[in-house]
Amino acid sequence: MKRDARSNELRRRFTGSRSWLAVGTLAAYAVMGSTRQALAAIKSEGAPGAGEPPAANLPVKKFNIAAGGLDDGIKAYEQQTGMHVKVVIPHETLAGFQTKGVTGLFPEEEGMRQLLDGTGLSYRVQNASTLIVGLQAKESVDVSTSANSIGLAQFTEPLLDTPQTVNVVPQFIMQEQAATTLRDGLRNVPGISVAAGEAGAQGDNLTIRGFSARNDMFIDGIRDFGSYYRDAFNYESIQVLQGPASVEFGRGSTGGVVNQESKFPQDQEFVRGGLQLGTNAMRRLTADVNEPLNDFIPGAAFRMNLMGEQTNVAERDYAQTQRFGVAPVISFGMRGATRGSIAYLHEGENSTPDYGLPYFGAQTAKVSRRNFYGYASDSYLKTTPDVVTGKIEHDFANGLLVRSTLRWGNYPRDIRIVEPQINTTPTLAVANGVGVATCSPIAGTPCFNVNTPLSGVSVRRAIIARNSTEDILWEQTQAIGHLKIGKIDNNFVVTVEGGRERSRPQSITYATNIYASALNPNARDILPAPQSVGARTYVTSNAYGVSGMDTLKLTQWLQLSGGIRFDYFSTSVDAGASQLIKQPTYRGAVVVKPAHNGSIYFDYGTSFNPSAESLSLSANNALQAPQENETYEAGTKWDLFHDRLNLNGAYFRTNKSNVYETDPNNTLNVLNVGNQRVQGFQVGVLGHMAGHFDLIMGYAYLNGIVTNSVLNASPFGALYKPNDPVFSLYPYFISPNNFPLANVPRNSGNLWVTHNLPWRFVGGFGGNFVGPRRASSTAMIAVPQGNVMPVSQIPLAFKSINGYWTFNMMLRRPISDRLEFQANLINLTNKFYIDQPHPNHLIPGEGFNAQFGINAHF
């Protein structure tokens, strides 16, 4: 009777789980009314619960392990079973885990599963007498236990002993902040600046430590190649590796890389979900369903994450976001020596995009922050990335782990966006050392003096229309192991990877003389017909890389690590241009450990950026040598309170050489002549402690400048030839020496803290500071039209962005054991600021909005 009752209860629980999944899916479609998709129902039953008596034919043990420290619980387990438990995480880390205990008659494996329940750790069987306890199958300690963990196999050591700045934004921080996108999550990382999309690429555009990271996005250690806005619904955490990482990841990574760690199945059954409603007409529904499949396939589990969202943008008219996402994954052999998984990610977006406001001169035009210069009914951004990943790994008896991962990704994109432009830049005609500024049309675009009232100014609607499909087929095999040579321990990772990347863009051309009022644009205007459709371009890259990383533990307090990688990168265009790059990169570091929970390190690394890095190749850049980068970094890391509080700080310098610059004597040529440097320091704190005391905080100081340019430190340099009687200067100039780099605020910082409040409330408060920055490293002639002055006295101006503070709040409280209410107030002061700058347009940040949500877990 008891067993029948338990079976009925299990069926009832899983039926409820499926109901939640079905309701969540339907609600997601209701929110995303334009989405036409369907999901098949999942038909499976849950594994027996922890309290169910074992089957009569299985050997059982009597357990009586009290709740308390997990280290004591494991000792009791060994005494009561006679099994040996091998723990593969540091003892000081294990000491911070708590167990709920185990009481009753259970098989040995079931007893261990209950012992580890809720810890974020898992086990697997090594042999008949030994169990191995370590990280979850997803290779990352659950955020409820450890504040700072990472699942990348590219590293040989835990983060504490990794000689590089690595920032982790865990899931619990993103949930507290109601962060819904990658961009939102990265606001918790100092040293990162967000930039706007441009004509050739939309989606997430970042700079890390002063250098572009648009092409340095990864999912679980493999390149995420597409141009799209990434949602956070399937994130376990976001990880930012700052500094060069070509040895680990290949081309690019001048300032660092961003890795999105996905959610993978776990041993326990659960259903989680959330519903958010906001003042900006936000509707967002998420579901996270995890189901062990032990009744059908021992050691297997299935997990499904779903998301649907529709929202406007506070203080921006007409802009709207609609997204849908689904991410199923099934894992096999989770407790065995051989493990595998198959994962699928789909994110569909059909939004009304917004390229914001125009410049007027070098500053943001002083128009209403709500002005929308696009066509409300005819502006769109449609992306439908699909990513399929298969992984298999095996533990050999000698401790060697071999892992092979195969990924196929397809990234279709179809966009029509209006970029608002006001031409205010005069052209300077020079005669015998004297310049005369004239504001004349450029390519038929009227030129407005900066003193013109905005009521008399027209904004050019530059229509950007393009469709493209990018795809990637990539295989990565890694061998991760340990060996001892004499008294020296060696931890190593060897990686062999390669594959194909392709891009197939096509542009649609519209008339260039389409205008709207600067003060009162009409978003309901009718879109003109296109003038022409360009030929589709086919770009293909074939690449492979071979790398090795090794850490030598010379003593308990001294470690040496190093690595080398060789990359082969061959790119061709159907028009005939091609490029072949064969490039090694290097890394070396020293780590000193004054205590078991701290490290001090010095690191040196190199990286490179080929001109075809983003699969954008043409005749004028195909023969260019790669841009070269080298970084020096000295820093320290400390884990406190049993790994629940992590502190880090670093000083660094990155030198970039062979920087691409346009030839001032022939704008069709590209020269490898520039040098750039970014140096600075940053500090970070991440904590997940008792009393719901969560903390993430950081500050970065970046000094990024041009150290050498084709202009040789003169504002006009080679452009002005004194022997020429008359020479007209183009209104934009390449950066001379000591000019600041674009989109690099000298100071930036973030803070988020939560804590228990009376009456079972938890409160959170935080903010972000971004200092002033320039939208471009190039200068404009700051001379009103008609002015006459000597060339030596001609002033320059830069398109600049003011610094800003924003503040956010959170309040949450449990409604029941399964439900929780959460409210978030975003941009409390309704601050108007430029969030995503571009040399030709400016996208404001979202205004004040409130979000109210219900979080559920079963």
Side-chain angles (χ1 to χ4, degrees):
M1 292 293 292
K2 290 183 178 179
R3 183 173 179 83
D4 290 341
R6 177 60 179 167
S7 299
N8 290 335
E9 172 65 11
L10 283 172
R11 281 192 290 271
R12 183 192 66 78
R13 286 177 60 195
F14 187 62
T15 299
S17 299
R18 288 187 296 180
S19 299
W20 265 93
L21 180 59
V23 170
T25 306
L26 291 173
Y29 293 139
V31 170
M32 301 291 295
S34 62
T35 306
R36 305 282 198 274
Q37 300 187 37
L39 295 174
I42 302 170
K43 297 181 179 180
S44 62
E45 294 187 6
E52 180 179 357
N57 61 340
L58 295 178
V60 297
K61 300 285 184 173
K62 183 178 181 180
F63 292 93
N64 186 17
I65 303 176
L70 182 58
D71 48 357
D72 292 332
I74 288 177
K75 292 176 183 177
Y77 178 91
E78 291 178 319
Q79 293 173 355
Q80 295 175 24
T81 63
M83 297 282 289
H84 171 60
V85 179
K86 182 179 178 181
V87 181
V88 293
I89 61 175
H91 174 75
E92 61 271 14
T93 300
L94 180 67
F97 290 88
Q98 298 291 309
T99 178
K100 301 174 184 177
V102 187
T103 303
L105 294 173
F106 301 102
E108 292 164 344
E109 288 193 43
E110 175 63 16
M112 177 55 71
R113 190 192 71 79
Q114 291 198 38
L115 187 71
L116 300 179
D117 184 38
T119 66
L121 300 176
S122 66
Y123 76 92
R124 62 179 182 268
V125 178
Q126 185 178 43
N127 53 50
S129 61
T130 305
L131 296 177
I132 298 177
V133 171
L135 303 182
Q136 288 275 14
K138 63 181 175 58
E139 299 169 2
S140 175
V141 177
D142 187 81
V143 296
S144 63
T145 307
S146 174
N148 194 30
S149 59
I150 192 168
L152 287 172
Q154 278 85 346
F155 295 107
T156 63
E157 304 301 316
L159 286 189
L160 177 66
D161 299 332
T162 298
Q164 183 176 6
T165 298
V166 182
N167 302 103
V168 178
V169 184
Q171 186 187 55
F172 69 88
I173 292 290
M174 290 185 281
Q175 183 171 342
E176 291 170 353
Q177 297 177 344
T180 61
T181 64
L182 173 68
R183 191 169 63 249
D184 291 340
L186 289 175
R187 299 188 197 281
N188 294 288
V189 180
I192 289 185
S193 300
V194 180
E198 52 192 32
Q202 288 68 47
D204 297 309
N205 185 14
L206 312 167
T207 62
I208 303 178
R209 285 189 177 174
F211 299 102
S212 174
R214 175 189 289 280
N215 301 297
D216 298 321
M217 308 285 186
F218 292 78
I219 298 177
D220 301 317
I222 295 182
R223 194 177 302 273
D224 183 25
F225 183 55
S227 294
Y228 67 106
Y229 291 103
R230 294 157 176 85
D231 197 279
F233 79 103
N234 195 43
Y235 288 172
E236 199 67 63
S237 69
I238 301 171
Q239 300 145 4
V240 181
L241 291 70
Q242 304 212 36
S246 283
V247 169
E248 296 93 339
F249 295 97
R251 72 181 192 269
S253 68
T254 307
V257 303
V258 175
N259 183 60
Q260 307 153 76
E261 185 181 9
S262 304
K263 296 177 181 177
F264 276 83
Q266 300 184 22
D267 285 335
Q268 66 270 30
E269 176 188 13
F270 61 78
V271 177
R272 300 167 184 160
L275 173 65
Q276 289 174 268
L277 302 175
T279 55
N280 51 340
M282 179 189 193
R283 292 158 283 171
R284 180 180 173 90
L285 184 75
T286 57
D288 183 358
V289 180
N290 189 86
E291 188 68 27
L293 304 176
N294 293 309
D295 280 0
F296 305 99
I297 308 173
F302 174 81
R303 189 169 183 178
M304 168 83 79
N305 274 269
L306 294 167
M307 174 274 301
E309 178 179 349
Q310 181 170 342
T311 181
N312 298 333
V313 180
E315 299 293 341
R316 293 293 298 152
D317 289 343
Y318 302 105
Q320 185 183 72
T321 298
Q322 293 187 85
R323 289 196 189 103
F324 168 77
V326 57
V329 57
I330 186 168
S331 293
F332 306 93
M334 294 171 62
R335 304 177 185 176
T338 301
R339 302 170 298 281
S341 65
I342 300 174
Y344 170 63
L345 171 67
H346 171 82
E347 293 188 30
E349 177 165 357
N350 185 358
S351 299
T352 303
D354 178 18
Y355 265 12
L357 306 176
Y359 288 93
F360 191 53
Q363 304 295 322
T364 309
K366 298 185 183 304
V367 297
S368 170
R369 65 191 292 184
R370 290 182 170 274
N371 276 9
F372 185 81
Y373 294 92
Y375 297 90
S377 300
D378 295 294
S379 296
Y380 54 80
L381 170 64
K382 301 176 182 178
T383 57
T384 53
D386 294 286
V387 181
V388 181
T389 306
K391 180 173 68 175
I392 188 168
E393 60 185 22
H394 180 75
D395 290 319
F396 290 90
N398 60 1
L400 179 68
L401 168 65
V402 175
R403 170 184 300 144
S404 183
T405 305
L406 178 64
R407 172 170 296 167
W408 172 80
N410 192 59
Y411 304 90
R413 174 169 48 109
D414 189 8
I415 62 105
R416 185 159 61 209
I417 306 176
V418 172
E419 181 178 68
Q421 301 176 354
I422 302 175
N423 177 24
T424 60
T425 307
T427 299
L428 193 70
V430 177
N432 299 319
V434 178
V436 179
T438 57
C439 194
S440 57
I442 299 177
T445 303
C447 184
F448 296 94
N449 191 299
V450 291
N451 297 321
T452 305
L454 282 170
S455 58
V457 171
S458 297
V459 176
R460 179 189 171 212
R461 285 170 156 169
I463 301 174
I464 300 169
R466 171 176 293 222
N467 63 78
S468 180
T469 299
E470 282 73 45
D471 67 70
I472 181 171
L473 180 64
W474 199 260
E475 204 286 332
Q476 180 187 84
T477 297
Q478 296 176 303
I480 305 148
H482 168 85
L483 58 86
K484 194 165 187 176
I485 302 176
K487 295 183 178 181
I488 300 177
D489 288 325
N490 289 259
N491 292 333
F492 64 86
V493 176
V494 176
T495 302
V496 179
E497 59 183 333
R500 181 197 67 199
E501 299 167 62
R502 297 186 300 187
S503 178
R504 300 179 290 282
Q506 181 182 45
S507 297
I508 297 92
T509 302
Y510 286 81
T512 60
N513 58 346
I514 308 169
Y515 299 94
S517 165
L519 295 180
N520 299 293
N522 185 0
R524 300 299 181 185
D525 285 344
I526 298 175
L527 177 77
Q531 290 185 333
S532 63
V533 177
R536 189 172 297 280
T537 303
Y538 294 85
V539 187
T540 302
S541 171
N542 294 290
Y544 69 80
V546 180
S547 69
M549 292 283 295
D550 188 28
T551 297
L552 289 73
K553 298 185 177 181
L554 303 180
T555 69
Q556 291 184 345
W557 57 271
L558 180 61
Q559 300 177 10
L560 299 180
S561 66
I564 184 172
R565 178 180 173 115
F566 177 81
D567 277 285
Y568 173 97
F569 185 63
S570 175
T571 306
S572 61
V573 185
D574 60 346
S578 63
Q579 182 182 84
L580 174 61
I581 302 296
K582 301 176 182 179
Q583 185 88 4
T585 49
Y586 309 94
R587 186 180 200 96
V590 179
V591 178
V592 177
K593 291 186 64 62
H596 74 274
N597 63 327
S599 66
I600 301 171
Y601 64 87
F602 174 79
D603 177 42
Y604 169 79
T606 67
S607 64
F608 70 99
N609 302 92
S611 58
E613 177 181 3
S614 61
L615 270 63
S616 177
L617 190 67
S618 58
N620 72 332
N621 67 359
L623 300 179
Q624 299 305 309
Q627 300 176 93
E628 306 278 356
N629 316 291
E630 60 178 12
T631 292
Y632 306 85
E633 179 174 320
T636 184
K637 301 179 182 181
W638 293 86
D639 287 345
L640 306 175
F641 305 118
H642 303 299
D643 197 26
R644 290 180 175 273
L645 181 66
N646 313 103
L647 313 176
N648 66 81
Y651 170 83
F652 53 86
R653 172 183 284 192
T654 298
N655 297 316
K656 189 180 190 72
S657 58
N658 283 351
V659 175
Y660 301 139
E661 294 185 349
T662 302
D663 185 346
N665 297 309
N666 183 352
T667 57
L668 297 178
N669 291 338
V670 176
L671 306 176
N672 285 87
V673 296
N675 293 316
Q676 298 172 352
R677 181 184 70 223
V678 175
Q679 61 184 358
F681 65 91
Q682 66 185 82
V683 294
V685 180
L686 176 62
H688 190 42
M689 294 166 284
H692 291 107
F693 182 18
D694 296 337
L695 173 66
I696 188 167
M697 179 173 61
Y699 168 77
Y701 172 84
L702 302 176
N703 182 16
I705 61 171
V706 176
T707 55
N708 188 45
S709 169
V710 69
L711 296 180
N712 300 321
S714 168
F716 303 114
L719 288 177
Y720 171 54
K721 301 178 178 61
N723 295 328
D724 291 354
V726 177
F727 188 78
S728 295
L729 297 174
Y730 191 72
Y732 290 90
F733 304 103
I734 300 169
S735 309
N737 290 4
N738 299 316
F739 277 24
L741 298 182
N743 200 24
V744 184
R746 183 157 292 193
N747 297 281
S748 62
N750 61 277
L751 169 68
W752 179 259
V753 60
T754 66
H755 203 274
N756 280 343
L757 299 175
W759 302 295
R760 301 179 66 196
F761 281 99
V762 176
F765 178 80
N768 291 86
F769 170 71
V770 177
R773 48 187 164 154
R774 291 181 175 174
S776 172
S777 292
T778 59
M780 302 168 55
I781 303 170
V783 181
Q785 66 180 31
N787 278 25
V788 179
M789 63 179 61
V791 169
S792 60
Q793 299 178 17
I794 293 174
L796 300 179
F798 298 86
K799 291 182 175 179
S800 302
I801 313 300
N802 294 330
Y804 63 87
W805 282 94
T806 59
F807 300 97
N808 308 311
M809 287 184 62
M810 181 274 293
L811 194 67
R812 74 169 187 258
R813 186 185 190 280
I815 302 172
S816 68
D817 291 341
R818 303 296 187 187
L819 298 176
E820 178 183 72
F821 171 79
Q822 180 173 322
N824 288 80
L825 304 180
I826 312 298
N827 192 359
L828 284 168
T829 62
N830 197 30
K831 176 71 174 180
F832 171 69
Y833 65 99
I834 299 301
D835 182 37
Q836 301 173 59
H838 184 273
N840 293 325
H841 64 274
L842 301 149
I843 301 180
E846 194 166 22
F848 170 79
N849 65 98
Q851 298 177 15
F852 306 95
I854 297 293
N855 303 320
H857 55 93
F858 297 91

